Each structure stands twice: as C-alpha cells, then as structure tokens.
Amino acid sequence: MKQKLTLMLLAFCATFAFAATQGQRRADGNSLLIKFTEKVDAGSLANTYSDGEFVLTRTADTNNKHAIDANDAYFGTAESYVKFDYRFKTGGKSSSSNSLQLTIPAAGTLKVYARTASSSATDRNVVLTQDGAELYKAVVKDADAVDVVINEESKKVYPVIAVEVNAGTVDVTYPVGALNFYGFELATAGEEAGPKNIEISPESGSDIGAVLAAEVEGMEEIGNITINLEENGYYTISKSIVASQSLVINGNGATIDASTLDGAGFISYTTVRGVKAMKDESTESAYTVVENVTVKDVEISGLIKPIINNTYSKVLFKTILINNCVIEITGNFNAFNLGVAYPENLKIEKTTIWSNEGHKGFFFKADGKPADITSTATTTWTVDHCTLVNISVDKKANNSNGGIKGKKTTTMVLTNSILYNFGSKSGNEVNGWLWGQNGGANAIYTNNTYWSADGAVFGWTDSSKGGSDQTGTALTTDPYFKDPYNGDFAVEAASDQAAKETGDQRWGTWTAAGTEFAITIGESENGTVTVDNPNAVEGTEVTITATPAEGYEVDAMTVKDADGNEITVTDGKFIMPAKAVTVTVTFKLSTGISNISADKSLEGAVFYNLNGQRVEKPAKGLYIVNGKKVVIK
C-alpha cells in the first residue's frame, strides 16, 4: 500500500502547480533540500513540496492549522550552520492525526530542521519512522541552541536532527504539541564529505552579494570561492561577500557600486574552516589558515564598509593581495579590519584607495600574535605603486597590536607611492605607519611622495624618528592631481612624480593650460632649418623655414612628439601638441633643370658635376652652375 501511495505522489508532484516556492537543489549538486520561501495562510497550502524525487507530503492537518510565515532561524553548530527565512507551522495540539510523510529516493542522511519557537517548552518531541521501525524519537528544546556571533550580532543556532534512511518513505509525527519545520534535507550516501568549492560568473548588472548568497544557500561547508566578473561590466553589491576560506575576485575591468552594501564588509569572514597553523611539528596553534584573498582588476565605488572584515577569532591569512584596483571609501570604518588575524603577506599594488570627504578610520587593523603561531613567524606588508588620497586623515595609518607592532619579524615596504593626506598630521607620521614605534619594525622605502593639502609632510622623513624614510629618494613636492575631487589622480606632466613614475600609473599625466613645450631641430645636411618659436603652447601653429644649400632642395619635413608619434605638416606648418617635438628636414640635390645652354659662352663659370665635384674642363653633359642645372651640348 505504501509503495502504491508513493508512486501516486510522484506522479502528482510532476503536474501540480504549487502555491509556494518549492525546495531547491543545493549548490553543491548532491544534497536535496526542501525549504519554504514565501508566506502561505492556513488552509491554502499545497499538499506536497519537493526537490526532484525528494517529496514532503502533508498526510494530515487537523483543523487546517498548517501555515507558512516569515521567521528566520539558524541551524547547525557554532562552527557550521545554515540559515532559513521561512518556517512551516504545524499548529494545533497533539494528535497522531498531525503528521507529515517524506518520500526518500535513495539511501542517505536525512536532516530535519525543526524547533518549537518556545523557550519554555520541554515536552514536544518528534518521531521519525520508516517501514514500522522507529529511527528517531527525542524532545525538541529551543534551550539546546548555542549562542554564536554572526555578522557582529549574537544569534541562536539550533541543533539539527540527523538520521540514516533508506529509499522509501519516512513518517514524521509530533505527538505532543506543535512543531515548526524550517526545512528537510537528504544527503545521499554518495555525497562527498567536506567543503564545496564555489565558482560564479555573475551577469553584468547583477548584485554580486545576492548572487553568491543564493548560490551557497543551504550548503553546510563552503570551500574556496572564485568570482569572475564580466569584462568592463557593471555591478552592485547589497550583501557582503561572505567567505570561510580562500577567495579570488577576478574583476576584468568591471565596476562595483558598493553604496548600498549592508553587511560587515565588502569581504566578510564570520566563520573560517580549514587546517590549523602548526606551532611545531606536532602542536597545532589556535589560528585557522586562509591561504589566499585576492581582489584584482576592479573598481569599487561608494564603499561604506571595510574592504576586508574579519569577526572570526584567530586567522592566519597567508596572502592578501589587492592588485590593479580603484577603491573609493565613503565610510569611516577601518579599511582592512582584520580583527584577531595575522596577515603573513599583505600586498597592495598598482592600486588607488581614496576618499573625497576624508576617511577617518585606520588603514590597517590586525591584532594577531605571531608568537601564538610559531616562534619563527614573520610578516611583510607591501604598498607599491599606489595612490592613497585622504585616507586615515588625522589618524594613525596603522593601529595593529598583538605582538606585531615594532617587532623585527615585521617588515613594512612602502615604495613608489603617493601619500596625499594619508595618516597623522602630528609630525610623527612614520610612527603612525609603524604602530607608534620609534624604530622596531623593519621599514623599506623608495621613491615615495609625502604631501598634504597644506604642503609637504616631513613627518615621514624626520631623521630624528627611527624607521623614517632616509633613502634620499623621497619627494616632498605637489603632484598636482588633475581632478582629485572627481577621482582623477593624473599627475602634472612637469612634476617630480611624473619623472619618477610614482603612484598608480593608470592615471598617467596631464598638462596645465599655457604650458610651453620645447621644439628641437634635428640635425640636417645641405641646408638650414628654423622655426618661428622654439617653445610653443599646445594648439599653437608653428612655421618651419627650411633653406637649402646651393644646388639642393627640400626633400621631406618630419615632426615627431616625445613619444615618437608623427605630427601632420602642411605647407611647412604644424599644430603644437601637448608634448615636446623634434623637427627634422632632409635635403636632396635639385632635380629641376632651370637653364639649357648650347652655344652660349659660359666663360668664367664654375662647373660641378651631379656629385658636387668641381669640374675644371667640362665636356658635353649635365652640370651645376650657380646652383642651377645646365646642359652643355
């Protein structure tokens, strides 16, 4: 009888138009999940809900008490949990007439996500039965939940009922009082254990955080995440990119509007799963390893949260890389808020991080203790070819503690970068970079600009400060950004920064109106070359005057700018570009025959052959006389 009923139910599920959104297949592709995603009033529920052949059937509903409403809850453990947003309310009082039935397509682990929604209830139980055999019977108590900090808020995480089942049907009853079911999951016996790696490629125009959240919903353990954006695409982000292991964002030149982000950070670590860093060959540390966090080739605008935010406990980030990015910060959170973490290798390269209003948070905040990991732990933080504008204004750039600050095991590399209104203005900026330490950490500097809206910042180069920039390569001159209030940080072409190629090179250079550029005359033979103005402003018409030597004429006029681009010359004139140019004129022997002489006397004339050699006794032929070609017959 049960077998016949199961077949009827499967046929019914294939054609029924369900009133509420059905369960959906888990992102890992192995588990089957039945959940509820919209409100349905009592008396209006569909009789079945399914994920493929995994089917939930409402076999009895005393007094039409079954209903679905919005009510979020977390299930799992403190280390691993999933969230549901809707619940299936059974309602009513105890009766064996209140029951559900699950159709199980294959052997595996059945998980039931249920709670009482009553903190005082201690007698409501659930019973799972298959083929007359009792699989599970226990009291469901909300008091068994554990407190977990999720997105900086304390949440209850309720236990999961899990039993091994065979293919067939499982009856679900709740003899004493009502229960609330948030979901049912079947992990088939063939499912591989452990975290599942995720790779998504959101379409341009989509919300990255929402796409990722939908992809991983229902997954118990998430492994590495890769996000590939469309080339030059446009995206929004309303939810944090929540990671628990390595994360790679391949931006491909895309832009992300982060102005509506509602989460702990652009990238958020609230749970970290993985291996522990080893203190020695046999002893684990308390730090969980995250191998790689990479964000590259992307522009992020309107960011009101940290770039990376870690609220999990102790994390060893092996590598954090921000490469070829533009990040506009509009909030005052710490830019890199790493919590109790230890970044072994942190690199920010070829990147602009800026704020229009003036960012008031710290740039770096990481409080991990290397001594808690291993006695040989070292860390290197590198900022190279970056433009940092209005960041950590009137604040220390670095407020990390935990045994990192001032240690010789720490190396701070700051090279080829422009620091404009960056860090404290107390005259002690270098100490704000090195955790307030006068010396201590290793510091490496090359070709950096230290400048503010008020002028040069000498706190970075003060020889009385240990660890200050004493390389002799420092620039304390204005880079003259083209339009910093609108995010254009091109440096003035005549600036020291342009000459040394410091800062984020994506911006290039610009030239102030009225700037004169030099005109160089290239070497030429058999003639002279002049211009009417040896220094000209962009857009000015320049006239070239070329005077050939006797017997020669102009062959070609060429004008090239400093980058080798050829400038058009018309009738001996060209328009000056916003770059220095070189004018080159070549001459050749004149090919025009201006006079033909037959019997006319040329007594006393000086004759030259066509190679420019003087001829004492010319015979018949073509010669040059007084700069003109003549024929002697």
Side-chain angles (χ1 to χ4, degrees):
M1 180 65 182
K2 285 186 177 181
Q3 184 179 16
K4 182 177 180 181
L5 176 60
T6 300
L7 293 174
M8 291 173 62
L9 287 170
L10 288 174
F12 179 77
C13 291
T15 59
F16 191 87
F18 297 111
T21 302
Q22 306 310 297
Q24 64 182 27
R25 185 169 297 275
R26 283 258 307 273
D28 56 32
N30 295 305
S31 293
L32 301 173
L33 177 67
I34 297 172
K35 67 187 183 84
F36 311 97
T37 58
E38 64 182 15
K39 183 178 182 298
V40 182
D41 294 331
S44 301
L45 273 69
N47 285 330
T48 59
Y49 296 90
S50 69
D51 183 6
E53 296 180 345
F54 181 43
V55 183
L56 170 69
T57 303
R58 299 190 309 116
T59 54
D61 178 8
T62 304
N63 298 323
N64 286 326
K65 291 289 187 178
H66 291 176
I68 298 173
D69 68 357
N71 184 277
D72 60 42
Y74 292 85
F75 290 86
T77 66
E79 292 75 29
S80 174
Y81 46 80
V82 292
K83 181 187 178 187
F84 294 88
D85 294 316
Y86 287 80
R87 65 182 175 180
F88 175 95
K89 299 170 63 177
T90 59
K93 293 297 183 180
S94 61
S95 171
S96 59
S97 296
N98 285 302
S99 61
L100 306 171
Q101 190 176 78
L102 290 166
T103 301
I104 310 297
T109 301
L110 173 64
K111 298 179 181 180
V112 179
Y113 302 94
R115 56 175 291 231
T116 66
S118 171
S119 59
S120 60
T122 59
D123 59 351
R124 301 183 191 178
N125 63 336
V126 63
V127 180
L128 304 178
T129 306
Q130 186 172 40
D131 295 330
E134 192 174 89
L135 303 178
Y136 183 89
K137 180 179 181 179
V139 174
V140 177
K141 294 189 295 184
D142 280 10
D144 290 337
V146 295
D147 293 313
V148 179
V149 175
I150 301 174
N151 292 333
E152 301 181 340
E153 295 183 16
S154 180
K155 299 287 187 181
K156 296 287 186 183
V157 176
Y158 300 94
V160 179
I161 298 168
V163 295
E164 297 302 314
V165 294
N166 296 315
T169 58
V170 171
D171 293 305
V172 182
T173 57
Y174 29 98
V176 180
L179 290 177
N180 299 299
F181 295 95
Y182 288 76
F184 301 88
E185 182 179 354
L186 177 65
T188 59
E191 180 180 0
E192 295 182 4
K196 303 298 186 295
N197 295 335
I198 300 296
E199 183 167 359
I200 62 173
S201 300
E203 293 183 357
S204 180
S206 61
D207 182 329
I208 297 172
V211 171
L212 178 62
E215 181 73 16
V216 303
E217 185 172 5
M219 292 186 64
E220 291 187 7
E221 293 188 73
I222 302 169
N224 302 329
I225 297 174
T226 302
I227 301 175
N228 302 309
L229 304 183
E230 286 188 15
E231 185 175 358
N232 301 321
Y234 171 80
Y235 297 86
T236 59
I237 181 168
S238 62
K239 298 180 179 181
S240 296
I241 297 170
V242 179
S244 58
Q245 253 302 317
S246 290
L247 169 71
V248 176
I249 300 176
N250 295 311
N252 295 313
T255 299
I256 303 173
D257 180 353
S259 60
T260 61
L261 176 61
D262 183 14
F266 179 75
I267 297 169
S268 180
Y269 281 87
T270 57
T271 301
V272 179
R273 300 184 180 92
V275 300
K276 299 292 186 180
M278 301 298 293
K279 291 180 69 70
D280 52 45
E281 290 184 358
S282 59
T283 307
E284 289 185 345
S285 73
Y287 286 75
T288 305
V289 176
V290 171
E291 289 289 344
N292 176 36
V293 180
T294 294
V295 181
K296 61 181 180 180
D297 307 326
V298 68
E299 181 173 342
I300 304 170
S301 65
L303 183 60
I304 59 177
K305 301 289 184 176
I307 299 168
I308 301 176
N309 189 71
N310 170 44
T311 56
Y312 187 70
S313 184
K314 297 180 178 181
V315 183
L316 170 59
F317 289 102
K318 298 290 286 185
T319 298
I320 295 175
L321 173 64
I322 311 295
N323 179 266
N324 195 34
C325 296
V326 178
I327 303 174
E328 179 199 14
I329 296 179
T330 59
N332 288 316
F333 293 84
N334 302 329
F336 293 90
N337 193 51
L338 302 182
V340 188
Y342 182 75
E344 185 172 287
N345 190 13
L346 192 159
K347 292 183 178 181
I348 307 173
E349 302 173 334
K350 302 175 184 177
T351 289
T352 297
I353 302 177
W354 69 288
S355 171
N356 200 343
E357 301 299 324
H359 166 252
K360 302 292 186 180
F362 298 112
F363 191 57
F364 291 134
K365 186 79 169 90
D367 296 331
K369 296 180 180 180
D372 289 346
I373 303 174
T374 172
S375 60
T376 60
T378 60
T379 181
T380 301
W381 299 3
T382 300
V383 175
D384 179 63
H385 276 104
C386 291
T387 296
L388 307 178
V389 180
N390 291 334
I391 298 296
S392 300
V393 178
D394 293 326
K395 300 275 287 188
K396 291 180 179 178
N398 197 333
N399 193 40
S400 300
N401 290 296
I404 303 177
K405 68 177 185 178
K407 302 296 184 181
K408 287 297 183 183
T409 55
T410 300
T411 300
M412 301 295 290
V413 180
L414 182 58
T415 51
N416 306 302
S417 295
I418 298 176
L419 311 184
Y420 191 104
N421 285 354
F422 177 77
S424 169
K425 291 184 180 178
S426 65
N428 212 15
E429 284 78 8
V430 67
N431 285 1
W433 176 247
L434 301 176
W435 296 274
Q437 300 299 294
N438 196 358
N442 298 303
I444 298 175
Y445 304 104
T446 307
N447 291 338
N448 298 307
T449 294
Y450 309 110
W451 192 259
S452 76
D454 299 328
V457 181
F458 295 104
W460 289 92
T461 57
D462 187 343
S463 59
S464 69
K465 305 291 192 300
S468 62
D469 187 346
Q470 297 299 305
T471 62
T473 64
L475 297 175
T476 50
T477 56
D478 194 339
Y480 296 106
F481 293 133
K482 184 175 183 179
D483 190 6
Y485 295 105
N486 290 304
D488 187 343
F489 301 103
V491 298
E492 211 280 326
S495 67
D496 295 331
Q497 290 72 25
K500 285 194 173 184
E501 297 185 345
T502 61
D504 184 350
Q505 293 297 290
R506 81 182 65 243
W507 303 108
T509 62
W510 70 286
T511 303
T515 299
E516 293 185 339
F517 298 93
I519 301 175
T520 301
I521 306 299
E523 293 186 4
S524 60
E525 297 180 351
N526 304 312
T528 59
V529 181
T530 60
V531 292
D532 59 353
N533 189 353
N535 297 286
V537 175
E538 178 188 8
T540 302
E541 184 179 77
V542 179
T543 300
I544 305 170
T545 301
T547 305
E550 187 174 299
Y552 289 84
E553 61 185 23
V554 174
D555 182 19
M557 287 184 178
T558 304
V559 179
K560 291 185 178 181
D561 68 17
D563 293 329
N565 301 311
E566 191 164 334
I567 309 301
T568 301
V569 180
T570 304
D571 296 330
K573 299 177 181 180
F574 67 93
I575 302 301
M576 190 68 184
K579 293 179 182 178
V581 301
T582 298
V583 175
T584 303
V585 179
T586 57
F587 299 91
K588 62 181 180 179
L589 288 168
S590 177
T591 57
I593 300 175
S594 59
N595 187 30
I596 298 177
S597 299
D599 299 325
K600 184 177 179 180
S601 173
L602 293 173
E603 185 177 349
V606 178
F607 291 81
Y608 295 89
N609 62 23
L610 296 182
N611 292 323
Q613 298 169 322
R614 184 167 179 169
V615 179
E616 295 295 337
K617 296 180 179 181
K620 292 181 180 180
L622 182 63
Y623 298 91
I624 298 173
V625 179
N626 295 326
K628 298 180 181 180
K629 290 182 178 179
V630 298
V631 176
I632 297 178
K633 294 183 177 180

